[in-house]
Amino acid sequence: MSKSVRSPIGIVWRKELKDAIRDKRSVMAAMSYAFFGPLLMAVAFYVMISQLTDPSDVEIDIKGAEHAPALIDYLQQQGIIEREKDWPAGQQPIELVIGETWAEDIATAQPAPVTLTADFSATKQRSDIRRIEKAIEGYSSKLSFIRLQMRGLDPRVVQPIDLVKHDTATKGSRSAILMGSVLIFILLSVFFSGMNVAIDISAGERERNSLELLLSQPLSSHQLVLGKAFAASCFAMFGGVLSVVLIPLIFRFLPLHEIGISVAIEWPMMLLMVLMLAPLALFATALQLFVSFRAKSFKEAQTYISFLLMLPMLAVFGVEFARLKNPVLYYLPLTGQHQALLDIIKGEALQWLPLLVSGVVTAIVSLLIIRFIGKMLASEKVVFGL
């Protein structure tokens, strides 16, 4: 038998790992989040893409259509037609009202009132409302040009600047906008997948009165905690690997090309992503063990860890929404891995030094937390949950 297996840490690791594998609940917890999280996100993206690329006509209620037949013809050319059937229950109608003074206002070169009534907060109707707005704006610009030409003016006089846009964004950089929210599932997978195991081998063993038996064995409390941490980290890594493998596979079935986005992650990059998650898995496990040993019961540990899981979400979403660009983020635990994953999604060159430093810092912080837990177990209050 190898020295690593005969060592106290190896013995504890193997014992805890075998016990956790026998627990079907722990195995299912490790698999469920890593599988269903990306799957639900893929379904949400599929629905969103379908709405954005829906070529079907937009049916709306139109009042006063007889006042502006030319406008109605233009709207029909843009795929906006008058609705003939009732609106489904629970769906807010979209109504376009053309004023009675339309013909007079157009003839006298006055602004003609057109009222669009809709629920502008409705997600399902947002693309339809935007199509209607663009069509009305297009027809308004068309009338403006005609009015200027009738007065002998070149319509270009009201457009002093002709802005030409050259989009240098690649499909990879566009995908980062969409896939940035998916990356949180990869990062959270290492927190969720090992959570049940971390609670069970700490607060759970204390309630079963087996923790003091383990502490009475010929090994230090630091070795005991380190072996437990490695066991729970294996489950955390299991969830992380599943997420890294499943997300590119699932998203290959999405019609991302219809919105100019491409997600292609090669196997070498997937392997690199797995290696990046290794220190993060140990970090997540160390935090969960610390909280579990500090809790006085199994249920209390579950409650505290549910709050702990908000930490990675707050960190990642905070960086995303605040648009923070501080270079220090590349060197910190969690945010360093997140920034590296973003670079991979964008297809940009990785910053290897910050990535290495972030991994080392994450591992060092994890080992320091584990050592502190080992010192905590010298207290009877922690061992017996007093």
Side-chain angles (χ1 to χ4, degrees), residues 165-191:
K165 298 180 181 179
H166 293 288
D167 189 0
T168 60
T170 63
K171 289 186 176 181
S173 60
R174 290 193 189 99
S175 67
I177 301 174
L178 180 68
M179 298 298 291
S181 57
V182 180
L183 294 180
I184 188 65
F185 281 97
I186 298 178
L187 297 175
L188 282 179
S189 62
V190 298
F191 282 83

PDB file of all heavy atoms in Angstrom, residues 165-191:
ATOM      1  N   LYS A 165     -20.493  52.526 -38.345  1.00  0.00           N
ATOM      2  CA  LYS A 165     -20.078  51.620 -37.283  1.00  0.00           C
ATOM      3  C   LYS A 165     -19.359  50.413 -37.863  1.00  0.00           C
ATOM      4  O   LYS A 165     -19.872  49.754 -38.773  1.00  0.00           O
ATOM      5  CB  LYS A 165     -21.296  51.148 -36.482  1.00  0.00           C
ATOM      6  CG  LYS A 165     -22.048  52.270 -35.765  1.00  0.00           C
ATOM      7  CD  LYS A 165     -23.236  51.707 -34.992  1.00  0.00           C
ATOM      8  CE  LYS A 165     -24.008  52.804 -34.282  1.00  0.00           C
ATOM      9  NZ  LYS A 165     -25.173  52.268 -33.539  1.00  0.00           N
ATOM     10  N   HIS A 166     -18.182  50.153 -37.343  1.00  0.00           N
ATOM     11  CA  HIS A 166     -17.434  48.950 -37.689  1.00  0.00           C
ATOM     12  C   HIS A 166     -17.329  48.089 -36.433  1.00  0.00           C
ATOM     13  O   HIS A 166     -16.597  48.422 -35.502  1.00  0.00           O
ATOM     14  CB  HIS A 166     -16.041  49.296 -38.217  1.00  0.00           C
ATOM     15  CG  HIS A 166     -16.055  49.999 -39.542  1.00  0.00           C
ATOM     16  ND1 HIS A 166     -16.367  49.350 -40.717  1.00  0.00           N
ATOM     17  CD2 HIS A 166     -15.811  51.295 -39.884  1.00  0.00           C
ATOM     18  CE1 HIS A 166     -16.313  50.205 -41.728  1.00  0.00           C
ATOM     19  NE2 HIS A 166     -15.971  51.404 -41.238  1.00  0.00           N
ATOM     20  N   ASP A 167     -18.088  47.026 -36.404  1.00  0.00           N
ATOM     21  CA  ASP A 167     -18.133  46.156 -35.229  1.00  0.00           C
ATOM     22  C   ASP A 167     -16.958  45.182 -35.284  1.00  0.00           C
ATOM     23  O   ASP A 167     -16.882  44.320 -36.175  1.00  0.00           O
ATOM     24  CB  ASP A 167     -19.455  45.385 -35.195  1.00  0.00           C
ATOM     25  CG  ASP A 167     -19.650  44.635 -33.879  1.00  0.00           C
ATOM     26  OD1 ASP A 167     -18.751  44.725 -33.015  1.00  0.00           O
ATOM     27  OD2 ASP A 167     -20.692  43.968 -33.722  1.00  0.00           O
ATOM     28  N   THR A 168     -16.027  45.331 -34.353  1.00  0.00           N
ATOM     29  CA  THR A 168     -14.867  44.440 -34.288  1.00  0.00           C
ATOM     30  C   THR A 168     -15.079  43.280 -33.328  1.00  0.00           C
ATOM     31  O   THR A 168     -14.155  42.506 -33.091  1.00  0.00           O
ATOM     32  CB  THR A 168     -13.618  45.232 -33.848  1.00  0.00           C
ATOM     33  OG1 THR A 168     -13.859  45.804 -32.550  1.00  0.00           O
ATOM     34  CG2 THR A 168     -13.307  46.340 -34.834  1.00  0.00           C
ATOM     35  N   ALA A 169     -16.282  43.178 -32.789  1.00  0.00           N
ATOM     36  CA  ALA A 169     -16.559  42.093 -31.843  1.00  0.00           C
ATOM     37  C   ALA A 169     -16.553  40.759 -32.566  1.00  0.00           C
ATOM     38  O   ALA A 169     -17.079  40.620 -33.676  1.00  0.00           O
ATOM     39  CB  ALA A 169     -17.914  42.312 -31.169  1.00  0.00           C
ATOM     40  N   THR A 170     -15.923  39.774 -31.942  1.00  0.00           N
ATOM     41  CA  THR A 170     -15.945  38.413 -32.471  1.00  0.00           C
ATOM     42  C   THR A 170     -17.140  37.660 -31.897  1.00  0.00           C
ATOM     43  O   THR A 170     -17.801  38.127 -30.968  1.00  0.00           O
ATOM     44  CB  THR A 170     -14.653  37.682 -32.105  1.00  0.00           C
ATOM     45  OG1 THR A 170     -14.569  37.563 -30.659  1.00  0.00           O
ATOM     46  CG2 THR A 170     -13.424  38.436 -32.607  1.00  0.00           C
ATOM     47  N   LYS A 171     -17.418  36.505 -32.462  1.00  0.00           N
ATOM     48  CA  LYS A 171     -18.503  35.692 -31.917  1.00  0.00           C
ATOM     49  C   LYS A 171     -18.215  35.292 -30.476  1.00  0.00           C
ATOM     50  O   LYS A 171     -19.114  35.139 -29.665  1.00  0.00           O
ATOM     51  CB  LYS A 171     -18.714  34.445 -32.772  1.00  0.00           C
ATOM     52  CG  LYS A 171     -19.326  34.734 -34.130  1.00  0.00           C
ATOM     53  CD  LYS A 171     -19.645  33.446 -34.870  1.00  0.00           C
ATOM     54  CE  LYS A 171     -20.355  33.740 -36.193  1.00  0.00           C
ATOM     55  NZ  LYS A 171     -20.708  32.505 -36.923  1.00  0.00           N
ATOM     56  N   GLY A 172     -16.913  35.120 -30.176  1.00  0.00           N
ATOM     57  CA  GLY A 172     -16.544  34.763 -28.808  1.00  0.00           C
ATOM     58  C   GLY A 172     -16.799  35.889 -27.830  1.00  0.00           C
ATOM     59  O   GLY A 172     -17.303  35.674 -26.731  1.00  0.00           O
ATOM     60  N   SER A 173     -16.450  37.140 -28.237  1.00  0.00           N
ATOM     61  CA  SER A 173     -16.671  38.272 -27.337  1.00  0.00           C
ATOM     62  C   SER A 173     -18.157  38.545 -27.165  1.00  0.00           C
ATOM     63  O   SER A 173     -18.599  38.973 -26.100  1.00  0.00           O
ATOM     64  CB  SER A 173     -15.961  39.517 -27.871  1.00  0.00           C
ATOM     65  OG  SER A 173     -16.453  39.860 -29.148  1.00  0.00           O
ATOM     66  N   ARG A 174     -18.954  38.314 -28.231  1.00  0.00           N
ATOM     67  CA  ARG A 174     -20.400  38.459 -28.084  1.00  0.00           C
ATOM     68  C   ARG A 174     -20.955  37.397 -27.151  1.00  0.00           C
ATOM     69  O   ARG A 174     -21.882  37.648 -26.377  1.00  0.00           O
ATOM     70  CB  ARG A 174     -21.090  38.343 -29.446  1.00  0.00           C
ATOM     71  CG  ARG A 174     -20.837  39.514 -30.381  1.00  0.00           C
ATOM     72  CD  ARG A 174     -21.804  39.473 -31.547  1.00  0.00           C
ATOM     73  NE  ARG A 174     -21.446  40.454 -32.572  1.00  0.00           N
ATOM     74  CZ  ARG A 174     -20.781  40.167 -33.674  1.00  0.00           C
ATOM     75  NH1 ARG A 174     -20.406  38.914 -33.896  1.00  0.00           N
ATOM     76  NH2 ARG A 174     -20.501  41.104 -34.545  1.00  0.00           N
ATOM     77  N   SER A 175     -20.391  36.206 -27.232  1.00  0.00           N
ATOM     78  CA  SER A 175     -20.896  35.123 -26.387  1.00  0.00           C
ATOM     79  C   SER A 175     -20.640  35.403 -24.922  1.00  0.00           C
ATOM     80  O   SER A 175     -21.367  34.900 -24.058  1.00  0.00           O
ATOM     81  CB  SER A 175     -20.243  33.791 -26.785  1.00  0.00           C
ATOM     82  OG  SER A 175     -18.856  33.798 -26.496  1.00  0.00           O
ATOM     83  N   ALA A 176     -19.601  36.205 -24.613  1.00  0.00           N
ATOM     84  CA  ALA A 176     -19.308  36.508 -23.210  1.00  0.00           C
ATOM     85  C   ALA A 176     -20.451  37.269 -22.561  1.00  0.00           C
ATOM     86  O   ALA A 176     -20.695  37.138 -21.361  1.00  0.00           O
ATOM     87  CB  ALA A 176     -18.012  37.317 -23.108  1.00  0.00           C
ATOM     88  N   ILE A 177     -21.175  38.079 -23.357  1.00  0.00           N
ATOM     89  CA  ILE A 177     -22.318  38.810 -22.816  1.00  0.00           C
ATOM     90  C   ILE A 177     -23.383  37.837 -22.349  1.00  0.00           C
ATOM     91  O   ILE A 177     -23.995  38.000 -21.291  1.00  0.00           O
ATOM     92  CB  ILE A 177     -22.885  39.764 -23.887  1.00  0.00           C
ATOM     93  CG1 ILE A 177     -21.802  40.746 -24.335  1.00  0.00           C
ATOM     94  CG2 ILE A 177     -24.106  40.500 -23.356  1.00  0.00           C
ATOM     95  CD1 ILE A 177     -22.236  41.633 -25.488  1.00  0.00           C
ATOM     96  N   LEU A 178     -23.607  36.791 -23.151  1.00  0.00           N
ATOM     97  CA  LEU A 178     -24.630  35.811 -22.827  1.00  0.00           C
ATOM     98  C   LEU A 178     -24.130  34.771 -21.835  1.00  0.00           C
ATOM     99  O   LEU A 178     -24.809  34.418 -20.877  1.00  0.00           O
ATOM    100  CB  LEU A 178     -25.093  35.123 -24.122  1.00  0.00           C
ATOM    101  CG  LEU A 178     -26.181  34.058 -23.984  1.00  0.00           C
ATOM    102  CD1 LEU A 178     -27.497  34.702 -23.577  1.00  0.00           C
ATOM    103  CD2 LEU A 178     -26.354  33.305 -25.292  1.00  0.00           C
ATOM    104  N   MET A 179     -22.903  34.296 -22.063  1.00  0.00           N
ATOM    105  CA  MET A 179     -22.379  33.192 -21.263  1.00  0.00           C
ATOM    106  C   MET A 179     -21.840  33.642 -19.918  1.00  0.00           C
ATOM    107  O   MET A 179     -21.523  32.796 -19.076  1.00  0.00           O
ATOM    108  CB  MET A 179     -21.265  32.482 -22.036  1.00  0.00           C
ATOM    109  CG  MET A 179     -21.716  31.844 -23.344  1.00  0.00           C
ATOM    110  SD  MET A 179     -22.951  30.553 -23.099  1.00  0.00           S
ATOM    111  CE  MET A 179     -21.944  29.308 -22.293  1.00  0.00           C
ATOM    112  N   GLY A 180     -21.724  34.947 -19.711  1.00  0.00           N
ATOM    113  CA  GLY A 180     -21.240  35.415 -18.416  1.00  0.00           C
ATOM    114  C   GLY A 180     -22.123  34.949 -17.279  1.00  0.00           C
ATOM    115  O   GLY A 180     -21.643  34.616 -16.194  1.00  0.00           O
ATOM    116  N   SER A 181     -23.433  34.904 -17.536  1.00  0.00           N
ATOM    117  CA  SER A 181     -24.350  34.422 -16.500  1.00  0.00           C
ATOM    118  C   SER A 181     -24.265  32.920 -16.313  1.00  0.00           C
ATOM    119  O   SER A 181     -24.622  32.400 -15.258  1.00  0.00           O
ATOM    120  CB  SER A 181     -25.786  34.820 -16.857  1.00  0.00           C
ATOM    121  OG  SER A 181     -26.145  34.305 -18.126  1.00  0.00           O
ATOM    122  N   VAL A 182     -23.786  32.202 -17.335  1.00  0.00           N
ATOM    123  CA  VAL A 182     -23.663  30.747 -17.230  1.00  0.00           C
ATOM    124  C   VAL A 182     -22.441  30.374 -16.389  1.00  0.00           C
ATOM    125  O   VAL A 182     -22.429  29.339 -15.725  1.00  0.00           O
ATOM    126  CB  VAL A 182     -23.568  30.113 -18.633  1.00  0.00           C
ATOM    127  CG1 VAL A 182     -23.436  28.597 -18.548  1.00  0.00           C
ATOM    128  CG2 VAL A 182     -24.797  30.473 -19.448  1.00  0.00           C
ATOM    129  N   LEU A 183     -21.419  31.222 -16.415  1.00  0.00           N
ATOM    130  CA  LEU A 183     -20.198  30.915 -15.683  1.00  0.00           C
ATOM    131  C   LEU A 183     -20.454  30.773 -14.189  1.00  0.00           C
ATOM    132  O   LEU A 183     -19.736  30.049 -13.498  1.00  0.00           O
ATOM    133  CB  LEU A 183     -19.152  32.007 -15.924  1.00  0.00           C
ATOM    134  CG  LEU A 183     -18.625  32.133 -17.348  1.00  0.00           C
ATOM    135  CD1 LEU A 183     -17.600  33.242 -17.432  1.00  0.00           C
ATOM    136  CD2 LEU A 183     -18.022  30.824 -17.819  1.00  0.00           C
ATOM    137  N   ILE A 184     -21.476  31.482 -13.700  1.00  0.00           N
ATOM    138  CA  ILE A 184     -21.776  31.390 -12.279  1.00  0.00           C
ATOM    139  C   ILE A 184     -22.157  29.968 -11.899  1.00  0.00           C
ATOM    140  O   ILE A 184     -21.902  29.520 -10.785  1.00  0.00           O
ATOM    141  CB  ILE A 184     -22.904  32.381 -11.898  1.00  0.00           C
ATOM    142  CG1 ILE A 184     -23.089  32.442 -10.389  1.00  0.00           C
ATOM    143  CG2 ILE A 184     -24.195  32.021 -12.581  1.00  0.00           C
ATOM    144  CD1 ILE A 184     -21.931  32.991  -9.634  1.00  0.00           C
ATOM    145  N   PHE A 185     -22.759  29.216 -12.848  1.00  0.00           N
ATOM    146  CA  PHE A 185     -23.116  27.832 -12.565  1.00  0.00           C
ATOM    147  C   PHE A 185     -21.875  26.962 -12.415  1.00  0.00           C
ATOM    148  O   PHE A 185     -21.847  26.042 -11.597  1.00  0.00           O
ATOM    149  CB  PHE A 185     -24.018  27.275 -13.670  1.00  0.00           C
ATOM    150  CG  PHE A 185     -25.446  27.717 -13.555  1.00  0.00           C
ATOM    151  CD1 PHE A 185     -25.915  28.780 -14.291  1.00  0.00           C
ATOM    152  CD2 PHE A 185     -26.322  27.076 -12.702  1.00  0.00           C
ATOM    153  CE1 PHE A 185     -27.225  29.210 -14.179  1.00  0.00           C
ATOM    154  CE2 PHE A 185     -27.629  27.488 -12.580  1.00  0.00           C
ATOM    155  CZ  PHE A 185     -28.090  28.551 -13.318  1.00  0.00           C
ATOM    156  N   ILE A 186     -20.854  27.237 -13.213  1.00  0.00           N
ATOM    157  CA  ILE A 186     -19.608  26.473 -13.082  1.00  0.00           C
ATOM    158  C   ILE A 186     -18.966  26.747 -11.738  1.00  0.00           C
ATOM    159  O   ILE A 186     -18.516  25.821 -11.044  1.00  0.00           O
ATOM    160  CB  ILE A 186     -18.650  26.821 -14.236  1.00  0.00           C
ATOM    161  CG1 ILE A 186     -19.273  26.446 -15.581  1.00  0.00           C
ATOM    162  CG2 ILE A 186     -17.310  26.114 -14.047  1.00  0.00           C
ATOM    163  CD1 ILE A 186     -18.408  26.798 -16.772  1.00  0.00           C
ATOM    164  N   LEU A 187     -18.926  28.019 -11.341  1.00  0.00           N
ATOM    165  CA  LEU A 187     -18.307  28.371 -10.065  1.00  0.00           C
ATOM    166  C   LEU A 187     -19.127  27.858  -8.887  1.00  0.00           C
ATOM    167  O   LEU A 187     -18.586  27.339  -7.909  1.00  0.00           O
ATOM    168  CB  LEU A 187     -18.143  29.889  -9.966  1.00  0.00           C
ATOM    169  CG  LEU A 187     -17.220  30.534 -11.015  1.00  0.00           C
ATOM    170  CD1 LEU A 187     -17.242  32.041 -10.887  1.00  0.00           C
ATOM    171  CD2 LEU A 187     -15.802  30.012 -10.868  1.00  0.00           C
ATOM    172  N   LEU A 188     -20.456  27.989  -8.987  1.00  0.00           N
ATOM    173  CA  LEU A 188     -21.312  27.541  -7.886  1.00  0.00           C
ATOM    174  C   LEU A 188     -21.362  26.024  -7.767  1.00  0.00           C
ATOM    175  O   LEU A 188     -21.686  25.498  -6.699  1.00  0.00           O
ATOM    176  CB  LEU A 188     -22.728  28.085  -8.072  1.00  0.00           C
ATOM    177  CG  LEU A 188     -22.962  29.546  -7.712  1.00  0.00           C
ATOM    178  CD1 LEU A 188     -24.403  29.937  -7.984  1.00  0.00           C
ATOM    179  CD2 LEU A 188     -22.638  29.811  -6.248  1.00  0.00           C
ATOM    180  N   SER A 189     -21.052  25.315  -8.846  1.00  0.00           N
ATOM    181  CA  SER A 189     -21.129  23.851  -8.797  1.00  0.00           C
ATOM    182  C   SER A 189     -20.182  23.271  -7.752  1.00  0.00           C
ATOM    183  O   SER A 189     -20.518  22.288  -7.086  1.00  0.00           O
ATOM    184  CB  SER A 189     -20.814  23.262 -10.173  1.00  0.00           C
ATOM    185  OG  SER A 189     -19.490  23.596 -10.576  1.00  0.00           O
ATOM    186  N   VAL A 190     -19.009  23.896  -7.571  1.00  0.00           N
ATOM    187  CA  VAL A 190     -18.068  23.372  -6.578  1.00  0.00           C
ATOM    188  C   VAL A 190     -18.535  23.697  -5.159  1.00  0.00           C
ATOM    189  O   VAL A 190     -18.132  23.038  -4.201  1.00  0.00           O
ATOM    190  CB  VAL A 190     -16.646  23.917  -6.806  1.00  0.00           C
ATOM    191  CG1 VAL A 190     -16.106  23.480  -8.155  1.00  0.00           C
ATOM    192  CG2 VAL A 190     -16.610  25.432  -6.708  1.00  0.00           C
ATOM    193  N   PHE A 191     -19.379  24.720  -5.031  1.00  0.00           N
ATOM    194  CA  PHE A 191     -19.921  25.059  -3.716  1.00  0.00           C
ATOM    195  C   PHE A 191     -21.105  24.159  -3.363  1.00  0.00           C
ATOM    196  O   PHE A 191     -21.240  23.726  -2.228  1.00  0.00           O
ATOM    197  CB  PHE A 191     -20.348  26.527  -3.673  1.00  0.00           C
ATOM    198  CG  PHE A 191     -19.218  27.501  -3.513  1.00  0.00           C
ATOM    199  CD1 PHE A 191     -18.489  27.923  -4.613  1.00  0.00           C
ATOM    200  CD2 PHE A 191     -18.873  27.986  -2.265  1.00  0.00           C
ATOM    201  CE1 PHE A 191     -17.443  28.815  -4.469  1.00  0.00           C
ATOM    202  CE2 PHE A 191     -17.832  28.888  -2.109  1.00  0.00           C
ATOM    203  CZ  PHE A 191     -17.107  29.299  -3.215  1.00  0.00           C
TER     204      PHE A 191
END
